[in-house]
Each structure stands twice: as C-alpha cells, then as structure tokens.
Amino acid sequence: MKKIQLIWFVLLSLSFLACSPTDDALDEVNQDAGFLTKGIHPLQNTSDLDVLINDIGNSQYVLLGEASHGTAEYYEWRAEISKRLIQEKGFNLIAVEGDWPATYTLNQYIQGQQGSSANQVLQAYQRWPTWMWANQEVASLAEWLRQYNANQGQNNKVGFYGMDVYSLWESLDALRAYLEQANPEAAQLARNAQACLAPYNRDEQLYAQATAQGRSCADQLQQLYAAVQAHRQSRPPGDEAAFNAEQNALAAVNAERYYYQMVRSGSASWNLRDRHMQETVNRLVSHRGDNAKIIIWAHNTHVGDARYTDMVQTGEVNIGQLLREQHANAGVYLVGFGSYEGQVIASSRWGGSTQVMPVPAATANSWEALLHQHSPTNKLLLMEELQDIPEAMKTRGHRAIGVTYNPSSERGNYVPTVLPMRYDAFLFIDRTTALHPLQGM
C-alpha cells in the first residue's frame, strides 16, 4: 500500500510536472537581461490587453495557463482576457481543468437554469483540492457569465465545462440518474458498472491496486459507453442532456484507463489525461457547431507546448501541443503565466489543509528572475517578437507550482523551457497574492 500511495502522490499531486532542470538551465548567478530589447509591453490595466487581443486575431482556440493553482492574479487576468474574447471575438465556450460533473453543475447556473448563487453552486466541487474552482475569483466570473448569458439568445450563450479525467464515480452517478428516466435498459449497464466498482468504496487508489492484481471494470464501462453513444445518436443533434450523458460515459471510461495506467507508467497516465482533455475540447467544439470558439484554462504544464520543455525527453505530450498539431489552420494561441515572488494557496502534502504559502524570489537565471531583473513590474510578452533574439531562444528554468508545494525546495519546481516557442504570449506578474478559497472549503 505504501508503494501505491507514493505513486499516487507523485502523479496526482500534480496538475503540473515538476521537472528537475538541468544545471545549464539554472545557473547560480543571473545573466544580464539586456537582451530583452523588444516584445515586452506594460500590463497595468485591462486596456493593456489590447495588444494581446489583437495578436490573438482570428484564432479559434485560446489556451490560458497558470504557473500555480493558487494565485489570485492568474485567475483574475484569465477572467479579464476571457471576457474580452467573449465580447469582442465571439468566443462561446470555456473548458477548464476540472471534473466534468461538478463543472456541468456550474455551467447550468451560468446558463440561468439552477442555483441561487455561484458560491452555492461551487459547493459541487468536492474533490481535493477544492480551492482550484471553489474560490471567489471563479465565483465572480460565474456571476458575470450568468448576467452576460441572460442577455443572449440560446445559441449565443457561453458554455462552461470541465475537461479533466478523474471523475469515475461522480460521472457514473450523474449518468445513472439521467438514464433511469431516459433509457432504463442502459441504466442497468450503469448499475452493473457501479456494482463492479463497489468493492473499492470510491477509492481510486484501491481500484488502481486491484488492476495490478488482474481485476478490472473496463468491460462494464465500455459496454455502458457504447449504449450511451447509441442513445445519443437516437436523440436530436443538439440534445444537451444526451451530450452531457455521453461525456460522462467517456469520462468514466477514460478515468478507469487513467487509474489503470497510474500504477504502471507516469508518462502513459499523463498522456492519457491530456489526450482526454483534447478529445473533450474537440467534442465541445463539434457539439457547438460551426461558430464554436473555445477558451481553455489549465496549468502551464498542460497549456505550454511540451515540445519546448524537457517533457519531450520522456515522450510526454500536453493539450497545448496536441491542439497546435491538430488545429493549426484554425488558429491555436497559447498564453503562459509566471511571477517573481509573492504568495500562493497550496498544501504541504496531498489531501492536506489549505495554506497561504510564501513564494520566494525566483531562482537565478530562470525566466522569472530575468523578467524581474529587466524591470520589477507586471508585463506582457508577445513571443513572436522575441524569436529572432538568440539569447531569448535559450532553454531556461520556468517555475511551475502544483497543489502541493514546499517553498524551501524551489530548485525542483522549474521546467527547462524555450519560452518564445512554448507560448505565443506570456503574462508576467512580478508579485502575486494568494487565491481566495470560499469559506468552508
């Protein structure tokens, strides 16, 4: 059991890969930041986003990263960018690094269908770390989206969906509740899958360990998915409830595959997760139709093209890379985030208590340290303008903080990165503040 707990911690305490940087990527002494002679723009208020919105142009896919899951400014700036993309560019979908069932509950509130307040609806996020989505910054955006949608026709309302892969039991619960009314025959298959999983008491670790001993519920989940696919095909093309059911069935199938791989291969489980995110994005765009334009919120390690980090050495991919490869002609725009120092919400251990932690000054010669050295102010970088500067094209450490964090062990939190290739734009916040979890979370 100790072994599987260690594997679980290594794989799931990440919403990022804490890659150990090479010595070349992290020198002990800062180099001169004087090579940063162009591509840097001020970032003080929302009007400073004009250059970013213009640079995004007609892109259909815009991915907004974050260097941690617990920094207020990352959420706030992503919200401001999203609002402008919705109002000025016609974006009508947001997909986030969250579970499908809980986020669908929030989506229903945003659509004006249920719930008394965003704060109340965000209680649906029960999986640790709840602060990732049950926070004041997301609640504020949700209220804005609900008000925006109230003034739109049904076809123009913005949808808000989860694209992560963890919700095995939660997706089955939601799916069974729907099928009991809509398709009793398929509901029996949902009950069969739940019965198969019942001995593991909703414990992903126990199920993963059982697969290592030859037990599996994959067949029951696959039979259920096939039945739900057939059910959806029998429904009108725009049937949102049937689409929701099919996505829950897919999430359950891929969650089982993820937990199966979790105890076998870190790279395989990582890739399965990001390919599920890619598939979910594609399904959302297809479901929305010809006018679909989607904003994606996820950690930098999912958003920033993996080919320009050391992830490529272990064969790991991410959604930023996958969407660039698949949809280049439609326009895929990647926005990264980073900071020099400040505060963050995190925990000292997986499943532990929520804490406000200090983020120390960035390690010497990291991208964050060089950007602070250039000027200790917030700034926006457009990467195309940096790509003909040789010094800017060198690999340097780029900080990534996960849901578990130890401020005294900074060196292991830097991903070797060619920044102008990993992203199309980068928002640098010199000093950050902690995210604001909802009370009781």
Side-chain angles (χ1 to χ4, degrees):
M1 179 62 75
K2 288 184 178 179
K3 180 178 180 182
I4 191 169
Q5 287 175 336
L6 176 61
I7 295 171
W8 176 260
F9 175 84
V10 170
L11 293 176
L12 290 189
S13 67
L14 302 173
S15 289
F16 77 111
L17 290 180
C19 305
S20 298
T22 64
D23 290 338
D24 290 341
L26 288 183
D27 295 336
E28 293 298 328
V29 180
N30 261 346
Q31 295 180 359
D32 185 1
F35 66 88
L36 294 171
T37 58
K38 59 180 180 176
I40 298 181
H41 305 265
L43 184 65
Q44 300 301 321
N45 51 60
T46 56
S47 65
D48 292 330
L49 294 173
D50 289 352
V51 292
L52 175 64
I53 301 301
N54 290 337
D55 204 50
I56 288 171
N58 295 321
S59 297
Q60 185 179 9
Y61 301 80
V62 174
L63 285 70
L64 305 178
E66 59 182 352
S68 84
H69 291 307
T71 300
E73 287 81 3
Y74 300 156
Y75 284 74
E76 290 166 352
W77 280 106
R78 290 191 300 185
E80 293 303 323
I81 294 168
S82 298
K83 291 174 186 177
R84 292 198 56 177
L85 291 175
I86 291 166
Q87 293 175 311
E88 300 172 33
K89 298 283 188 177
F91 279 75
N92 47 28
L93 291 167
I94 299 176
V96 304
E97 187 186 338
D99 289 344
W100 178 271
T103 309
Y104 196 79
T105 300
L106 180 59
N107 176 63
Q108 289 179 299
Y109 175 76
I110 288 168
Q111 301 296 323
Q113 297 174 12
Q114 68 175 33
S116 59
S117 70
N119 283 17
Q120 180 264 322
V121 171
L122 287 168
Q123 303 297 321
Y125 288 97
Q126 295 294 313
R127 182 185 302 279
W128 190 92
T130 56
W131 75 76
M132 274 182 61
W133 301 112
N135 59 65
Q136 294 176 19
E137 288 78 3
V138 169
S140 177
L141 175 61
E143 297 292 4
W144 184 92
L145 287 168
R146 182 179 172 95
Q147 184 175 2
Y148 175 87
N149 281 343
N151 298 316
Q152 305 297 316
Q154 186 59 41
N155 293 334
N156 295 322
K157 292 185 177 182
V158 178
F160 193 98
Y161 302 93
M163 60 178 184
D164 221 330
V165 75
Y166 297 136
S167 60
L168 176 54
W169 278 272
E170 297 87 348
S171 283
L172 283 175
D173 289 343
L175 182 55
R176 177 177 171 179
Y178 167 78
L179 292 174
E180 294 286 5
Q181 301 298 320
N183 191 324
E185 184 176 346
Q188 181 58 52
L189 295 177
R191 290 191 289 272
N192 293 346
Q194 288 180 318
C196 180
L197 289 163
Y200 311 109
N201 197 31
R202 295 178 176 259
D203 188 326
E204 295 93 343
Q205 296 183 57
L206 290 178
Y207 179 75
Q209 186 180 39
T211 69
Q213 299 170 354
R215 296 191 291 273
S216 170
C217 296
D219 288 346
Q220 290 88 338
L221 291 165
Q222 191 60 53
Q223 291 171 15
L224 173 61
Y225 181 43
V228 175
Q229 284 182 303
H231 169 77
R232 187 188 173 204
Q233 290 171 3
S234 71
R235 305 296 299 166
D239 189 323
E240 179 76 7
F243 175 75
N244 177 41
E246 187 179 51
Q247 184 62 32
N248 271 314
L250 176 65
V253 166
N254 283 341
E256 190 281 333
R257 292 172 178 170
Y258 177 86
Y259 296 127
Y260 177 91
Q261 289 294 345
M262 186 182 72
V263 292
R264 292 167 171 83
S265 168
S267 295
S269 59
W270 174 272
N271 287 348
L272 191 152
R273 183 182 176 206
D274 273 59
R275 291 188 185 282
H276 174 79
M277 292 183 186
Q278 175 200 23
E279 183 176 5
T280 300
V281 166
N282 287 339
R283 285 171 48 81
L284 286 167
V285 169
S286 176
H287 179 62
R288 189 65 188 237
D290 293 339
N291 68 336
K293 300 183 76 173
I294 189 164
I295 303 163
I296 296 160
W297 287 31
H299 198 279
N300 285 341
T301 45
H302 298 294
V303 166
D305 193 324
R307 293 172 294 182
Y308 303 101
T309 75
D310 64 350
M311 292 170 68
V312 72
Q313 297 170 11
T314 53
E316 291 161 335
V317 299
N318 63 15
I319 188 172
Q321 172 189 342
L322 295 171
L323 292 180
R324 267 184 172 177
E325 291 174 338
Q326 185 178 19
H327 298 298
N329 292 337
V332 178
Y333 197 96
L334 312 183
V335 182
F337 284 74
S339 64
Y340 178 66
E341 63 183 347
Q343 295 178 326
V344 68
I345 285 287
S347 179
S348 60
R349 60 180 177 84
W350 181 260
S353 60
T354 304
Q355 301 177 44
V356 176
M357 296 184 177
V359 177
T363 301
N365 199 40
S366 64
W367 282 106
E368 290 79 2
L370 288 172
L371 288 169
H372 173 78
Q373 181 187 348
H374 176 274
S375 62
T377 59
N378 297 349
K379 49 186 70 72
L380 167 63
L381 283 72
L382 297 184
M383 293 307 180
E384 187 175 8
E385 300 177 23
L386 298 178
Q387 289 173 5
D388 61 354
I389 302 175
E391 282 293 320
M393 295 296 287
K394 289 185 177 180
T395 298
R396 290 181 170 83
H398 172 24
R399 181 156 49 193
I401 296 174
V403 293
T404 63
Y405 182 53
N406 182 353
S408 65
S409 301
E410 265 291 277
R411 195 174 181 86
N413 290 320
Y414 289 79
V415 179
T417 294
V418 181
L419 205 72
M421 301 301 294
R422 187 176 179 185
Y423 308 109
D424 296 295
F426 188 77
L427 274 68
F428 176 75
I429 312 301
D430 192 68
R431 185 173 183 83
T432 61
T433 57
L435 195 68
H436 299 90
L438 299 179
Q439 291 186 0
M441 290 290 121

